[in-house]
């Protein structure tokens, strides 16, 4: 069974731009969660989607948004990028009640 | 809210045993997870505890005491490849959201 895939793996953007990251969950997994990981703050929860609905949201500004499609694939968008948004963005999928399986992440650098 | 604490760094010797502690204060609890993360890679699942007691899985064991808000991950017969960050995470009551601790960076020396 294929694992969680994320695209792109690496991205460099300029302050003020926007970015869209993509995540394809493991087949059969309907829950997709997004996390931001930085050296200073560790792994922080962004949001979770289940059946195309946002089920939970972390403490991030409205510049961070996401969506989920009918095939469970998910995207997250960050608008008006700031230097502090430079991070590893991880996507994780799971079946209800099970542990989360993480993708390899997208490393975003904002210059 | 959730507050999860674990040591920032630990060092141990190859072949030895190391215990990584995690304490938590949460408004809801529906299980505690341990993940391993090698530098530059994604976290991988190690263990899950929802009831008090010890869960053993090969060289790795995890313990939970819900009344004390305490868990530990025990690594036996340490190998160099065990050098990684170990993340403790608590799942909320609804069973949907994971809150992670800052991670413990373990360095295994020869």
């Amino acid at each position: 069974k294929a694992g969680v895939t994320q695209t792109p793996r690496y991205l460099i953007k300029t302050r003020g731009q926007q970015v869209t990251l993509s995540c394809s969950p493991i087949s059969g997994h309907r829950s997709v969660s997004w996390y931001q990981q930085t050296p200073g703050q560790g792994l922080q929860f962004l949001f979770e989607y289940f059946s195309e609905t946002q089920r939970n949201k972390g403490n991030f500004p409205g510049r961070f948004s996401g969506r989920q499609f009918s095939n469970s694939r998910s995207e997250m968008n960050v608008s008006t990028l700031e230097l502090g948004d430079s991070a590893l963005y991880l996507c994780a999928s799971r079946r209800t009640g099970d542990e989360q399986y993480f993708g390899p992440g997208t490393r975003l650098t904002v210059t | 809210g959730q507050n999860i604490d674990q040591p920032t760094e630990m060092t141990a010797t190859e072949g030895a045993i190391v215990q990584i502690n995690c304490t938590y204060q949460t408004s809801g609890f529906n299980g505690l997870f341990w993940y391993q993360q090698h530098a530059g890679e994604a976290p991988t699942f190690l263990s899950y505890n929802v009831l008090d007691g010890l869960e053993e899985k090969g060289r790795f064991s995890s313990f939970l005491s819900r009344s004390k808000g305490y868990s530990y991950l025990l690594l036996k017969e340490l190998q160099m490849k065990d050098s990684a960050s170990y993340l403790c995470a608590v799942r909320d009551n609804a069973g949907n959201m994971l809150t992670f601790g800052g991670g413990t960076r373990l360095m295994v020396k020869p």
Side-chain angles (χ1 to χ4, degrees), chain A residues 37 48 55-56 94 97 100 103, chain B residues 35 37 42 91 95-96 98:
Chain A
Q37 189 173 33
E48 186 215 7
R55 195 156 63 170
N56 285 289
R94 66 184 179 100
Q100 295 190 347
Chain B
Y35 281 84
Q37 186 176 26
R91 187 162 65 186
N96 301 327
L98 280 184

Side-chain angles (χ1 to χ4, degrees), chain A residues 59-80:
Chain A
N59 190 25
F60 277 81
R63 299 185 297 107
F64 291 81
S65 63
R67 59 177 176 168
Q68 187 180 33
F69 303 94
S70 59
N71 62 357
S72 294
R73 190 177 70 85
S74 177
E75 290 181 346
M76 70 162 277
N77 184 280
V78 187
S79 62
T80 320

Side-chain angles (χ1 to χ4, degrees), chain B residues 51-68:
Chain B
L51 299 176
D52 291 351
L54 190 68
E55 293 283 340
E56 296 187 82
K57 196 185 282 189
R59 294 189 299 115
F60 293 11
S61 304
S62 57
F63 171 84
L64 175 67
S65 168
R66 288 172 297 170
S67 62
K68 295 181 180 178

Side-chain angles (χ1 to χ4, degrees), chain B residues 19-92:
Chain B
Q19 178 174 310
I20 302 174
N21 296 325
C22 171
T23 57
Y24 63 90
Q25 295 169 316
T26 61
S27 56
F29 179 86
N30 190 13
L32 187 142
F33 294 79
W34 284 95
Y35 281 84
Q36 179 192 59
Q37 186 176 26
H38 284 100
E41 298 181 10
T44 55
F45 170 77
L46 286 178
S47 70
Y48 168 64
N49 296 70
V50 66
L51 299 176
D52 291 351
L54 190 68
E55 293 283 340
E56 296 187 82
K57 196 185 282 189
R59 294 189 299 115
F60 293 11
S61 304
S62 57
F63 171 84
L64 175 67
S65 168
R66 288 172 297 170
S67 62
K68 295 181 180 178
Y70 168 68
S71 172
Y72 68 72
L73 180 69
L74 194 70
L75 292 76
K76 303 176 188 174
E77 301 168 15
L78 279 172
Q79 302 175 10
M80 298 299 291
K81 68 178 182 180
D82 297 329
S83 293
S85 287
Y86 292 85
L87 308 169
C88 167
V90 172
R91 187 162 65 186
D92 68 349

